[in-house]
Amino acid sequence: MGSDHVPPVGSMAAMRPIPPDSPASHPPDWWRSAVIYQIYPRSFADGNGDGIGDLAGIRSRLPYLADLGVDAVWISPWYPSPMKDAGYDVSDYRGIDPAFGTLAEGEALITETHRLGLRILLDIVPNHTSDQHPWFQQALSAGPGSAERDRYIFRDGRGPGGDQPPNDWISQFGGPAWTRVTEPDGRPGQWYLRLYAPEQPDLNWQNSQVRAEFEAILRFWFDRGVDGFRIDVAHGLAKADGLPDRGDLPWPLPPVLEDAGAHSVADEDDVHPHWDRAAVHEIYRTWRKIADSYPDRRVFVAEAWVNRPHRLARYVRSDELHTAFNFDFLNTPWRAHLLHRTIDRTVAALGRVGAPPTWVLSNHDVVREVSRLARPQPDQPGRLWLEDLLPLPADYELGTRRARAAVLLMLALPGGAYIYQGEELGLPEVEDLPDGARQDPVFEQTGRKRRGRDGSRVPLPWSGDRPPYGFSPAGATRPPWLPQPADWADLTVAAQDDQAGSMLALYRQALRIRADLPALGDGGMRWRESPVGTLVFAREPGFCCLANVSADPVAVPEASTPILGSGPLTSDGRVPADTTVWLSLAA
Ligand code: NOJ
Ligand code: CA
């Protein structure tokens, strides 16, 4: 290859579109390579102008998603909900929240999505319901020892008068994981477990009615054509008998055992009293049978925050779930040796069970990657909260350059990938939301110590030069439910649409090429020797990816021709720092 720049994004001939209903667009193992786009319905598009995204908004933007080139959408919960945790507190699993639309609109959306050649996954929330779910209301009025209470996890308190929580478990949102109820006779009574907000009581998965109900809910939506589910808190459904104290056990577990080599996967079975316990797997085996009973086989993706890929692999054994989010990748700093290690561990662990890896950079629970990557990168992998990042100097241009490089790396790796809405626009985290606007229960539940996740949930900018940036239609009656920044005019879909070199153009280009190249998606990869600070791997036939995570430019491999770059090459044809190139290799 000479000293030419990588062809600018957008200059390549359009790839051949696959007609929506051709068999090629629906291979039975489509999920092994799929790129799935997460729609967070409150923040995607507002059809009726009340400031909240809705199904009419999603429907109007489906062509945008088809054009983007994703294979499927996953819609975060759309069910009726008091919205104490933005819909992850479900009060009716068979309906649609009136703020979003109606069941008929949901059915039309499923049909329309299919018509455009896309699959559609919903989000199922089996660990907990809303406290307004009829079952929980029945449990409250039926009293201690009742069959109604057995669907949840009620216990007497400890200490004199039972006024201490039954154990030391803590809520993911801060504070104790237990709430005390007032019994029907007006006296302070039992406590119920809720690993998240007080309005999200945990279900008891040892109760057969709970199991039967969720199996029926799966069927309800499968019968309406839904192609699969993302399973919320998939690692949390089973709790240890007797609900023993957790003590100071950290989560995830420290890597000591594994790194010392004295480790077997079973060593970590049932270590934690409520995360990643062996008993969850039996539930998913049953669910898999239900999915497989449909002729066109429906699929699952697990949201399981577990202890690295060797544990994740257990969720995707051949008779369990199909895929699982690879949060280890998301939690890996932009450092070559750490990325290399995460990729190796992932590919090896999932390969052992025959499951495809998946890759994810972002979702509605984490700080957006532009803002993470804008900061100096830590030495170790781990979840970064906004509070961790705010004290660090931020260079958003650098963050954007790295985010571009990261997505080309991600889309070149074997298996499938997840894209969170707005990622394709290069949106940064909104780090300075006014406290009064914050909605995430994490904020109040931590005594305002953690700001929470609202900064990644700000409504999308579609067009125009000021809020609501086309998120709501002209004449909207309310502003967007979270305020949008004043400086997002250049990040709108309209602004990036025809702009060669925009983040949106890069995503479109990369997804088209990915769909067209047999080397990409499911399959193997082979590392090639490369300078320190770079990741270079080949995929058959004839593809090579080079990510330069070092501070200096590096040469491209011999006999390679650039297909796409996350940024221009240097004038002497090398790949600059924080840049990824896709290359085709001479046979
Ligand atoms: C994971 C979801 O992604 C998150 O948004 C939610 O708060 C918790 N599960 C509880 O459902
Ligand atoms: Ca609306």
Side-chain angles (χ1 to χ4, degrees):
M1 139 177 197
S3 63
D4 289 343
H5 284 206
V6 174
V9 169
S11 70
M12 294 190 48
M15 297 290 149
R16 180 173 35 84
I18 296 173
D21 284 324
S22 78
S25 67
H26 297 299
D29 57 354
W30 65 276
W31 51 274
R32 295 186 67 92
S33 299
V35 176
I36 300 182
Y37 183 97
Q38 178 188 359
I39 294 178
Y40 194 69
R42 294 184 81 70
S43 304
F44 186 68
D46 169 22
N48 68 353
D50 65 355
I52 299 173
D54 48 41
L55 300 198
I58 298 175
R59 277 180 77 185
S60 72
R61 301 292 183 179
L62 283 177
Y64 164 79
L65 296 175
D67 183 53
L68 181 60
V70 296
D71 300 291
V73 297
W74 141 41
I75 304 186
S76 279
W78 64 8
Y79 315 106
S81 164
M83 302 288 170
K84 298 295 181 190
D85 183 22
Y88 284 94
D89 48 322
V90 180
S91 54
D92 171 7
Y93 289 82
R94 293 177 179 79
I96 305 245
D97 193 272
F100 296 149
T102 61
L103 184 57
E105 277 183 281
E107 290 170 340
L109 178 61
I110 296 168
T111 309
E112 196 116 331
T113 308
H114 288 156
R115 208 178 51 74
L116 288 169
L118 301 172
R119 304 269 181 163
I120 176 166
L121 276 65
L122 300 185
D123 202 321
I124 192 159
V125 188
N127 182 67
H128 43 264
T129 68
S130 159
D131 64 343
Q132 300 306 309
H133 190 285
W135 273 8
F136 192 73
Q137 291 300 312
Q138 290 160 17
L140 288 181
S141 43
S146 60
E148 287 83 351
R149 279 209 180 171
D150 189 58
R151 294 174 183 142
Y152 293 89
I153 302 178
F154 280 85
R155 293 290 184 277
D156 294 334
R158 294 202 279 208
D163 60 0
Q164 298 299 313
N167 69 20
D168 69 353
W169 295 2
I170 46 174
S171 158
Q172 294 313 291
F173 292 166
W178 295 90
T179 297
R180 194 170 196 186
V181 303
T182 302
E183 298 298 355
D185 64 6
R187 277 189 278 194
Q190 289 195 300
W191 299 70
Y192 65 88
L193 179 71
R194 39 80 178 182
L195 290 175
Y196 293 88
E199 298 87 355
Q200 292 170 297
D202 279 54
L203 286 161
N204 171 18
W205 274 86
Q206 293 188 354
N207 180 296
S208 57
Q209 289 176 23
V210 170
R211 288 173 185 247
E213 172 66 357
F214 276 86
E215 290 163 19
I217 293 164
L218 294 177
R219 289 202 167 88
F220 178 88
W221 291 107
F222 283 155
D223 290 345
R224 281 164 179 73
V226 163
D227 298 288
F229 283 94
R230 175 258 192 196
I231 304 171
D232 190 62
V233 198
H235 59 310
L237 273 47
K239 277 82 180 177
D241 284 342
L243 310 180
D245 280 344
R246 163 181 175 165
D248 52 12
L249 192 65
W251 193 258
L253 300 172
V256 187
L257 281 174
E258 186 184 350
D259 291 348
H263 180 71
S264 87
V265 172
D267 287 344
E268 288 179 24
D269 251 357
D270 296 346
V271 172
H272 195 283
H274 62 72
W275 290 144
D276 193 23
R277 297 188 60 81
V280 296
H281 297 289
E282 182 207 324
I283 299 167
Y284 302 135
R285 285 192 195 104
T286 310
W287 287 19
R288 177 63 179 253
K289 287 192 191 111
I290 295 172
D292 284 352
S293 73
Y294 288 79
D296 52 349
R297 307 202 165 192
R298 314 301 165 91
V299 300
F300 295 109
V301 50
E303 188 224 17
W305 294 86
V306 297
N307 218 27
R308 296 188 303 284
H310 64 286
R311 295 296 301 179
L312 200 62
R314 295 163 63 81
Y315 290 74
V316 290
R317 290 175 286 193
S318 59
D319 59 346
E320 296 192 37
L321 306 174
H322 299 74
T323 64
F325 298 117
N326 180 3
F327 294 128
D328 287 286
F329 184 65
L330 187 159
N331 283 336
T332 301
W334 187 243
R335 288 185 180 275
H337 67 289
L338 297 177
L339 288 164
H340 196 296
R341 190 175 73 177
T342 298
I343 293 167
D344 271 349
R345 284 179 172 174
T346 302
V347 169
L350 300 188
R352 274 196 287 275
V353 294
T358 68
W359 311 96
V360 55
L361 290 168
S362 189
N363 66 35
H364 63 292
D365 291 330
V366 302
V367 175
R368 283 191 179 272
E369 70 269 38
V370 165
S371 300
R372 297 199 313 267
L373 296 171
R375 265 66 185 210
Q377 294 297 288
D379 292 327
Q380 286 303 321
R383 179 95 171 251
L384 292 172
W385 301 99
L386 190 52
E387 288 64 42
D388 304 317
L389 296 170
L390 285 176
L392 303 174
D395 174 346
Y396 295 98
E397 237 177 75
L398 176 66
T400 302
R401 193 158 67 243
R402 287 176 171 167
R404 295 172 65 93
V407 72
L408 286 202
L409 170 64
M410 167 168 100
L411 293 176
L413 288 167
Y418 288 85
I419 294 174
Y420 174 47
Q421 65 178 41
E423 183 181 322
E424 79 280 19
L425 305 176
L427 297 187
E429 181 83 0
V430 180
E431 298 177 15
D432 58 355
L433 281 172
D435 285 352
R438 295 190 185 282
Q439 313 261 338
D440 184 356
V442 167
F443 185 50
E444 293 299 342
Q445 219 171 300
T446 57
R448 302 191 157 204
K449 282 203 195 74
R450 268 169 47 198
R451 290 171 179 75
R453 303 160 292 177
D454 293 310
S456 64
R457 302 173 176 181
V458 171
L460 289 195
W462 291 93
S463 59
D465 56 8
R466 68 181 71 108
Y469 299 111
F471 170 71
S472 298
T477 51
R478 309 228 351 124
W481 70 281
L482 283 173
Q484 299 160 305
D487 61 356
W488 271 11
D490 292 343
L491 294 174
T492 65
V493 172
Q496 298 193 39
D497 222 1
D498 297 322
Q499 194 197 326
S502 69
M503 186 71 95
L504 179 57
L506 179 70
Y507 270 73
R508 283 185 181 144
Q509 190 84 347
L511 290 170
R512 288 203 178 109
I513 294 173
R514 189 181 182 279
D516 220 49
L517 284 187
L520 295 185
D522 196 21
M525 66 180 280
R526 196 166 32 83
W527 291 110
R528 292 175 65 141
E529 228 170 277
S530 70
V532 175
T534 63
L535 300 162
V536 181
F537 56 91
R539 304 200 56 196
E540 296 302 333
F543 176 88
C544 183
C545 175
L546 185 163
N548 184 2
V549 189
S550 78
D552 304 306
V554 294
V556 296
E558 305 247 315
S560 65
T561 314
I563 307 170
L564 180 65
S566 65
L569 300 191
T570 61
S571 54
D572 63 353
R574 289 180 300 157
V575 182
D578 300 311
T579 302
T580 299
V581 277
W582 287 3
L583 303 144
S584 76
L585 296 173

